[in-house]
Amino acid sequence: MDLDGDDNDNDIFRDDEDDPQAQLSLLENESSKEYVVYLVDASPKMFSTTCPAEEDDQNGETHFHIAISCISQTLESQIINRSYDQVAICFFNTREKNNLQDLNSVFVFNVPEREFLDRPTARLIKEFYQLEESFSKIIGSQHGIVSGTRENSLYNAIWAAQALLRKGSAKTVDKRILLFTNDDDPFGSIKGAVKSDMTRMTLQRAKDAQDLGISIELLPLSHPDEVFNVSQFYADLIGLEGDDLVDFMPSAGKKLEDMKDQLRKRMFTKRIVKRLKFMIVNGISIELNSYALIRPTVPGAITWLDSVTNHPLKIERTFICVDTGALVEEPTKRFLPYKNQNIIFSMKQLSEIKRVSTGHLHLLGFKPLSCLRDYYNLKPSTFLYPSDEGTDSSMCMFIALHSFAVAFSGSSSRPQLVALIAQEEVIQSGGQIEPPGMHMIYLPYSDDIRFVEERYSDTSGMVNIASDDQIKKAANLIKRIDLKDFSVCQISNPALQRHYAVLQALALEEDDIPEMKDESLPDEEGLARPGVVRALEEFKTSVYGDNYDEENEPGTEKPTEASKKRKANAEFATKECENYDWGDLADTGKLKDLTVVELKYYLTAHNLPVSGKKEAIISRILTHMAK
């Protein structure tokens, strides 16, 4: 009996980690998700208090508008960067109520076909945009904590938020409550024993939530003439003591963009990439967390949807008997044809054959830092720090190993030597600039290293070496065009910005697509400065001489065979590209019916990269066509 499945005989030894999509899924599973409840004070004080606006705007902005704008922008970023995170938006001190416990003065904003705590959707973002205009009519505002009543709206709000965050394990999900308010003393109008009783109950409710693994963070909004006093009440609520209380700087009187930036920093927390066990010797190990510091940003993976329900498709594998057509269970054994016979493997045997490494980090020894070369760094490193689940002895051992070490790491199919480089803690102005820990640098194999001399040597094997004057002129040019305090985070990817702007316009049904500023273009004004022009001319003269003519440069009149071939391919692709109605194919969704070769006609004709799988190529075409 033969079995028809989706496996190929040649793929029997293929590891799941060889598949990029499997790696993304593994990373998504191992890195913790985040559940966030935005808790927004909706008392009349949030609407009447204004903060300084731009110079050309004399009306100012209410604190409620700041909170709504911050959350709106964060939802847009979250739906792109971490679409598996779940959010809930909860208002307290409201006239109407809408929550699971039917508590007064608490309203959880939501849209149909979505749970109170769920992944953000385009409809949620679109309707949340328009909420401020209709808030007083639909939800309404009122003073929730006033003298003469026993109603405690802040207590109810924390209780409702805690109930929303019940689902999900604290070990795999980070749970947070972000509180927006401009009232530093919510019980200020109440006196005596009633105030003490309400304060005690509210603080105990917050402590109960924190004991369940829920962190509470405060985003204070200050009055124009008065700084938000966090010591009045909220320091006890969020657990600020000692230096933390002194270092806590409330964002008083800041503009809207500053508040958005503050929220963005709090939302994009450092996510754990992978948890590792650092094996030292004789069964002694340390639990470590690894963090990705800088990674290139790429468009999100394509998700196939059902054409009727628009729900994501789930791939399932079934085995069908060729003789009877009946469904059979997945076999516990595999086989590989070899010399006219089938070699049988059990799943356990196959797993052991494929296992080269246990996946742990094994300490091999120590080397002087001078042994490490710059060109050994082939891909971005990861940052290691002891896990919170470890013991105090784990931290002590980690500190003792805080030096340059060599270790053995890698998955079952990709073992690799790594270098562990220690980093000391850097503190400036009472704040931590760089944390203590180790950078794990992935060391290359011998065939990963290429020698520059072999590539740039002439037919006789000689390599042209720059003279001292040329090196001096080049250093002077670099010094002239060097950017002070430059960071790679200062320049955004224009293609990605355009890609997500198109997606946002389609999802929110917007008419116009905002223009994206390409920050990667050369600074023509800066390059035209006399000092830069002079340094550039001196460098060019030192390399090519005084009589250098770029138009008559040798090689421009006699193109190489490779350049001729590329030009011919480009002309052929341009000609073939004209035979397709690309706009109609994109509108009708028939691009997926074309072959990869046909799709590359468009890419080559428009001077676009042709690498990647078919889904990535289609996405690149649609982005270029602004579809």
Side-chain angles (χ1 to χ4, degrees):
M1 180 177 67
D2 295 330
L3 299 176
D4 289 343
D6 62 352
D7 283 347
N8 191 303
D9 291 339
N10 296 328
D11 292 340
I12 186 172
F13 294 107
R14 182 179 64 85
D15 198 292
D16 291 338
E17 296 178 3
D18 295 336
D19 185 6
Q21 294 297 331
Q23 290 184 5
L24 292 175
S25 301
L26 179 64
L27 182 63
E28 188 67 43
N29 292 333
E30 290 193 348
S31 59
S32 60
K33 298 178 183 178
E34 192 169 53
Y35 292 169
V36 180
V37 175
Y38 298 99
L39 210 56
V40 183
D41 187 358
S43 64
K45 195 174 182 180
M46 288 283 290
F47 294 87
S48 60
T49 303
T50 59
C51 66
E54 300 291 345
E55 295 181 359
D56 56 350
D57 186 0
Q58 302 299 326
N59 297 325
E61 295 170 322
T62 66
H63 286 159
F64 186 80
H65 172 75
I66 291 178
I68 296 296
S69 300
C70 289
I71 297 174
S72 299
Q73 187 186 48
T74 306
L75 290 177
E76 291 179 6
S77 302
Q78 195 170 10
I79 202 172
I80 293 173
N81 293 284
R82 297 290 298 185
S83 61
Y84 288 92
D85 289 350
Q86 299 187 16
V87 300
I89 304 171
C90 181
F91 299 95
F92 65 100
N93 290 330
T94 58
R95 182 186 68 244
E96 305 295 333
K97 60 180 179 179
N98 180 33
N99 55 84
L100 298 174
Q101 292 79 18
D102 197 32
L103 301 171
N104 292 328
S105 304
V106 178
F107 192 96
V108 180
F109 176 78
N110 200 19
V111 294
E113 300 180 358
R114 183 182 180 274
E115 298 180 6
F116 279 161
L117 180 70
D118 206 344
R119 296 165 62 178
T121 62
R123 182 173 181 179
L124 175 70
I125 297 175
K126 188 175 181 180
E127 295 192 12
F128 190 70
Y129 275 151
Q130 306 167 355
L131 177 65
E132 189 175 3
E133 300 175 359
S134 58
F135 183 85
S136 59
K137 179 180 180 182
I138 299 176
I139 301 177
S141 174
Q142 68 176 13
H143 291 285
I145 306 176
V146 294
S147 58
T149 67
R150 299 291 297 181
E151 194 66 48
N152 189 341
S153 58
L154 181 57
Y155 177 91
N156 293 343
I158 298 176
W159 188 4
Q162 178 181 333
L164 291 171
L165 294 171
R166 280 179 181 172
K167 65 177 181 178
S169 172
K171 294 182 179 180
T172 59
V173 178
D174 293 333
K175 302 179 181 181
R176 295 201 291 165
I177 298 175
L178 267 63
L179 176 61
F180 290 82
T181 183
N182 63 357
D183 190 356
D184 55 9
D185 188 11
F187 304 102
S189 60
I190 305 177
K191 306 295 182 183
V194 177
K195 179 177 181 179
S196 300
D197 187 42
M198 282 192 172
T199 302
R200 179 185 57 79
M201 291 177 58
T202 305
L203 294 179
Q204 184 60 43
R205 172 56 62 186
K207 184 179 183 303
D208 293 341
Q210 293 168 344
D211 291 340
L212 295 174
I214 301 173
S215 64
I216 303 177
E217 299 183 32
L218 175 67
L219 282 167
L221 300 103
S222 296
H223 305 286
D225 54 351
E226 184 180 355
V227 177
F228 190 99
N229 186 6
V230 68
S231 302
Q232 190 79 16
F233 169 76
Y234 283 101
D236 296 329
L237 182 75
I238 62 180
L240 288 177
E241 296 179 341
D243 295 338
D244 293 335
L245 179 59
V246 175
D247 296 338
F248 185 84
M249 300 297 295
S251 303
K254 289 193 175 182
K255 298 182 295 185
L256 174 61
E257 291 301 321
D258 294 328
M259 288 298 299
K260 288 181 179 179
D261 183 64
Q262 181 185 4
L263 180 61
R264 189 184 304 115
K265 290 179 180 178
R266 297 193 179 195
M267 284 305 305
F268 293 112
T269 56
K270 290 183 175 62
R271 305 296 181 94
I272 298 174
V273 175
K274 192 175 183 180
R275 292 178 171 87
L276 299 172
K277 179 176 288 187
F278 189 11
M279 308 296 296
I280 300 178
V281 65
N282 296 331
I284 301 177
S285 62
I286 304 175
E287 296 291 337
L288 300 178
N289 291 336
S290 62
Y291 302 87
L293 301 184
I294 295 180
R295 291 292 187 273
T297 306
V298 296
I302 294 177
T303 302
W304 296 102
L305 305 177
D306 185 88
S307 59
V308 178
T309 63
N310 206 36
H311 291 164
L313 296 176
K314 181 179 179 181
I315 300 176
E316 296 182 354
R317 181 176 63 178
T318 58
F319 292 87
I320 303 175
C321 177
V322 177
D323 300 331
T324 63
L327 297 179
V328 296
E329 295 182 358
E330 184 174 356
T332 58
K333 294 186 177 182
R334 303 287 182 90
F335 69 89
L336 180 68
Y338 180 74
K339 291 186 177 181
N340 298 325
Q341 61 178 336
N342 294 331
I343 308 299
I344 306 298
F345 299 93
S346 67
M347 297 303 296
K348 183 178 180 181
Q349 290 174 332
L350 188 59
S351 177
E352 291 298 326
I353 292 173
K354 295 163 57 177
R355 186 186 302 276
V356 180
S357 170
T358 59
H360 300 315
L361 191 63
H362 296 266
L363 178 64
L364 299 180
F366 299 89
K367 288 282 188 180
L369 194 59
S370 58
C371 295
L372 193 64
R373 300 289 185 264
D374 292 339
Y375 55 85
Y376 285 177
N377 194 9
L378 298 181
K379 63 179 181 179
S381 62
T382 54
F383 188 75
L384 301 181
Y385 193 80
S387 172
D388 295 335
E389 300 176 357
T391 60
D392 293 338
S393 59
S394 297
M395 180 66 73
C396 293
M397 286 187 290
F398 184 77
I399 295 174
L401 293 171
H402 208 243
S403 59
F404 174 33
V406 179
F408 178 77
S409 179
S411 62
S412 60
S413 62
R414 296 179 181 177
Q416 196 166 12
L417 292 179
V418 297
L420 304 180
I421 310 299
Q423 173 178 283
E424 298 292 341
E425 184 179 20
V426 178
I427 298 178
Q428 291 182 3
S429 303
Q432 187 186 72
I433 305 300
E434 293 183 358
M438 289 186 180
H439 292 278
M440 185 167 67
I441 299 177
Y442 301 90
L443 300 178
Y445 291 98
S446 59
D447 56 355
D448 288 330
I449 300 177
R450 301 292 186 268
F451 295 97
V452 179
E453 292 81 1
E454 296 179 358
R455 178 177 177 85
Y456 292 99
S457 59
D458 54 21
T459 55
S460 62
M462 298 297 295
V463 179
N464 294 326
I465 299 183
S467 63
D468 294 339
D469 180 65
Q470 292 173 343
I471 295 175
K472 182 179 178 181
K473 294 295 191 298
N476 183 45
L477 175 61
I478 296 298
K479 183 178 179 180
R480 286 286 183 180
I481 63 177
D482 182 35
L483 300 178
K484 303 299 182 183
D485 300 325
F486 173 75
S487 172
V488 294
C489 301
Q490 295 175 355
I491 298 179
S492 58
N493 188 327
L496 279 179
Q497 297 299 320
R498 174 69 178 179
H499 171 75
Y500 288 123
V502 172
L503 289 182
Q504 177 180 327
L506 291 174
L508 302 180
E509 298 179 357
E510 298 174 347
D511 296 331
D512 300 327
I513 300 176
E515 291 293 332
M516 296 294 106
K517 181 181 179 181
D518 190 350
E519 299 172 343
S520 63
L521 294 176
D523 182 10
E524 297 182 0
E525 181 179 353
L527 293 176
R529 290 178 300 174
V532 176
V533 174
R534 182 171 60 256
L536 184 61
E537 290 296 330
E538 291 177 354
F539 172 71
K540 186 167 65 174
T541 302
S542 67
V543 175
Y544 298 105
D546 296 331
N547 299 323
Y548 172 72
D549 188 356
E550 187 174 357
E551 295 182 356
N552 297 325
E553 180 186 3
T556 56
E557 299 178 354
K558 298 179 180 180
T560 62
E561 292 297 329
S563 63
K564 291 180 180 180
K565 185 177 181 180
R566 287 194 297 268
K567 184 178 180 180
N569 291 338
E571 293 176 352
F572 176 77
T574 304
K575 183 178 179 181
E576 291 294 326
C577 180
E578 297 174 354
N579 298 329
Y580 299 87
D581 189 349
W582 297 100
D584 181 68
L585 292 172
D587 293 335
T588 57
K590 293 182 179 180
L591 286 176
K592 62 179 181 296
D593 297 333
L594 300 180
T595 64
V596 174
V597 176
E598 292 174 319
L599 293 172
K600 287 184 177 180
Y601 290 154
Y602 182 93
L603 299 177
T604 306
H606 293 83
N607 197 24
L608 297 174
V610 297
S611 60
K613 295 184 178 180
K614 187 175 183 179
E615 292 81 2
I617 293 176
I618 293 176
S619 175
R620 196 175 301 139
I621 293 175
L622 294 176
T623 302
H624 183 264
M625 299 175 65
K627 294 292 186 180

